[in-house]
Amino acid sequence: MVGVPLARRTKKRARPTRIGTLLEYAALGWPVVPGAYPLPHGRRACSCDRLGCPDPGAHPLSPAWHMQATTDPALLTRWWQAEPEANVILPTGRVFDVFDVPLAAGLSALTRIDAADAHSGPVAAHGDRVLFYVATRGNPEDEDEWWSCHLDCDPATIDDTPGLRWHCRDSYVLAPPSTLPGGRPATWLRPPDGRPLPDPLRILEWLAD
């Protein structure tokens, strides 16, 4: 039997593991915390203990997520080895804020940003939403500089802001490659590449247009 020439043999590229992705986030300085995940079968929609969970698979496992979120590779590895299906939660208002917009508006803005050869920053798709990662406003000493506005969003007020949501401090987002209800994954449209994150007001201008 004639063997296949070495030059013609191809190797399948290994798919990145969830732990591998977490460690990439940690290397960027992005704290991570484990999240609940949706259950495809049975009466419960979410892996958490809450009956009738209002946000299946899209919230942290622990109410102490503020303190748990970390960039420690050893701790992240240990967490996901113990709970390999856990979704990936990234706190906002620390390294980045996130604009969370309806799918059509997000894709339209991204098309215009690309056409202008501008920097969109990391952009993720979550079902019918698009998430733009921008430089955080941080936690200024002068609260008058916080720019409080109706766009500020925390997980408890998601349903009150169906259009543009601005996730900043005390909020979080579900990050790729988390599993969405229905089994679809959250994905990157523009993955993080190590470049500085864009100014939030500049991205907000594109979204407003």
Side-chain angles (χ1 to χ4, degrees):
M1 180 180 291
V2 178
V4 178
L6 287 176
R8 295 176 55 191
R9 293 179 185 172
T10 58
K11 289 184 178 180
K12 288 186 177 180
R13 293 185 62 184
R15 295 180 61 183
T17 64
R18 186 158 295 193
I19 291 178
T21 302
L22 301 172
L23 298 183
E24 290 177 4
Y25 293 155
L28 290 170
W30 294 8
V32 185
V33 71
Y37 54 91
L39 298 177
H41 307 293
R43 292 186 300 174
R44 291 168 51 206
C46 184
S47 66
C48 71
D49 295 331
R50 185 176 179 183
L51 293 176
C53 176
D55 204 13
H59 61 84
L61 282 175
S62 170
W65 61 271
H66 289 88
M67 296 178 288
Q68 286 184 340
T70 183
T71 58
D72 182 351
L75 187 54
L76 293 172
T77 299
R78 187 160 67 248
W79 281 344
W80 264 268
Q81 284 176 338
E83 196 74 56
E85 294 183 88
N87 272 343
V88 181
I89 298 291
L90 301 179
T92 54
R94 301 185 185 189
V95 180
F96 50 79
D97 290 350
V98 171
F99 290 130
D100 174 352
V101 299
L103 181 65
L107 295 180
S108 175
L110 187 57
T111 297
R112 286 181 277 109
I113 292 171
D114 288 346
D117 200 25
H119 177 40
S120 68
V123 182
H126 289 198
D128 61 353
R129 310 289 297 186
V130 175
L131 277 61
F132 290 78
Y133 287 61
V134 297
T136 184
R137 292 177 293 173
N139 191 2
E141 294 180 4
D142 184 353
E143 285 295 321
D144 291 336
E145 295 297 322
W146 178 243
W147 318 342
S148 276
C149 68
H150 69 282
L151 295 178
D152 289 346
C153 180
D154 64 65
T157 62
I158 288 292
D159 292 338
D160 298 328
T161 52
L164 173 62
R165 307 165 185 163
W166 189 335
H167 295 270
C168 47
R169 62 178 177 179
D170 298 327
S171 189
Y172 55 77
V173 292
L174 192 68
S178 295
T179 304
L180 305 172
R184 292 178 299 169
T187 59
W188 287 111
L189 300 177
R190 301 291 183 274
D193 57 10
R195 285 187 287 173
L197 297 171
D199 184 294
L201 295 184
R202 182 59 181 140
I203 297 300
L204 189 58
E205 288 177 0
W206 288 108
L207 294 172
D209 290 341

